[in-house]
Amino acid sequence: MLEIHLFVNPLGMRCFRCEQDVLRIDQQLRTKVNYQFIPLFNMETIQQTMKLYHLNDHDLSVRQQTSTTLYQIILDYKAALFQGRKRGRHYLLRLQSALINEGADYSEALVKKIAQQAQLDLDMFWEDRKSELAIKAFKKDQYMADEMGVTQTATAVVFDSEQPVYGYMINNFDYESLIESYRNHQFCLQQTPEEFAQSFNDKHHQSTLRIL
C-alpha cells in the first residue's frame, strides 16, 4: 500500500493537475493507495498565487487580501474534511475547478454552492469553517510540512507499507515520476522522514536524498 501526501496550493493550476494525477495513480497501480491533499500556506504560495492571477504584488492591501482568501479557502477545505476524506476531496476539486477552469470569484455564495454539490451538511460546514478545530487542523498541516522539510507546493511525500520506516519525496510531482519510481522499486532507497527532512534543508546532504 502507498500513502501519498501531496502538498498543494488550493489556488494553483499546477497543483490542480497534480491532484488529477494522484487520482489516475489510484486507478493504475496494483496496490492500494491512500492519499491526502495538504494545503501549504507560506509566503511562496501567496506570491505564487498573486503571479498566477496577475495581481499587483507591490500592493500590500492586495497581498493581504490574497493571503486572507487563501487562508479561508484552506479552512473551508479542512471543514469539509471533517465530514469525510472523500467529501472533503470532492469539495476541494470542485472548488478548484470553479475558480481555475471557470474563472469564478471566491465568495460565500460560491462556497455554499460547492458545499451543496459535495453533499456536505451545510449547517455543520458553515460552523466548522470558522471554528478553532479547523484552525488547529490547518496548523497541524503546516507543522507536518515543516517536519518533512516541504517548502514548495506540488511536492509529494510517499510511504510504502512494504518499507514502513522509509519515505520518498518527489518535488514537481507528476504521474510519470511516481509510476516509474514504484515500478522500479526505488522507494526502499530513501531515508526516514526525519532524515530526509534534515537533508532537504542541508545542502551538504542533498546527495543522500533522491529528489525528482
Side-chain angles (χ1 to χ4, degrees), residues 25 73 100 158 174 191:
I25 288 166
I73 287 174
I100 296 171
V158 185
D174 60 23
Q191 301 166 299

Side-chain angles (χ1 to χ4, degrees), residues 66-100:
T66 302
S67 175
T68 300
T69 299
L70 186 59
Y71 177 66
Q72 186 57 57
I73 287 174
I74 294 174
L75 293 186
D76 290 347
Y77 171 50
K78 303 313 294 185
L81 284 172
F82 294 157
Q83 299 187 38
R85 281 192 179 186
K86 187 175 182 179
R87 287 184 179 179
R89 288 195 299 266
H90 283 174
Y91 172 84
L92 178 62
L93 292 172
R94 286 177 181 272
L95 179 65
Q96 288 179 319
S97 180
L99 295 172
I100 296 171

Side-chain angles (χ1 to χ4, degrees), residues 12 43 81 125 139 154 174:
M43 293 303 296
L81 284 172
F125 171 72
K139 291 180 178 179
D174 60 23

Side-chain angles (χ1 to χ4, degrees), residues 123-145:
D123 290 338
M124 183 184 301
F125 171 72
W126 220 252
E127 181 178 349
D128 286 342
R129 67 192 290 264
K130 300 290 187 179
S131 70
E132 285 296 322
L133 192 60
I135 294 173
K136 287 181 180 179
F138 161 78
K139 291 180 178 179
K140 183 178 179 180
D141 285 347
Q142 307 318 302
Y143 178 78
M144 180 189 300

Side-chain angles (χ1 to χ4, degrees), residues 159-175:
F159 298 99
D160 185 350
S161 61
E162 294 184 3
Q163 297 288 334
V165 298
Y166 290 91
Y168 188 73
M169 180 180 286
I170 305 175
N171 281 343
N172 300 314
F173 172 83
D174 60 23
Y175 174 81

Side-chain angles (χ1 to χ4, degrees), residues 145-210:
D146 185 60
E147 285 292 291
M148 291 182 173
V150 176
T151 59
Q152 299 178 346
T153 58
T155 295
V157 174
V158 185
F159 298 99
D160 185 350
S161 61
E162 294 184 3
Q163 297 288 334
V165 298
Y166 290 91
Y168 188 73
M169 180 180 286
I170 305 175
N171 281 343
N172 300 314
F173 172 83
D174 60 23
Y175 174 81
E176 289 76 14
S177 60
L178 181 59
I179 292 292
E180 179 183 1
S181 299
Y182 178 77
R183 290 177 175 168
N184 291 335
H185 306 288
Q186 292 179 327
F187 294 123
C188 62
L189 301 177
Q190 307 314 306
Q191 301 166 299
T192 64
E194 292 80 8
E195 290 171 336
F196 78 58
Q198 181 178 354
S199 62
F200 184 80
N201 289 297
D202 187 344
K203 293 181 180 180
H204 298 292
H205 293 87
Q206 283 184 353
S207 61
T208 65
L209 171 61
R210 181 176 177 81

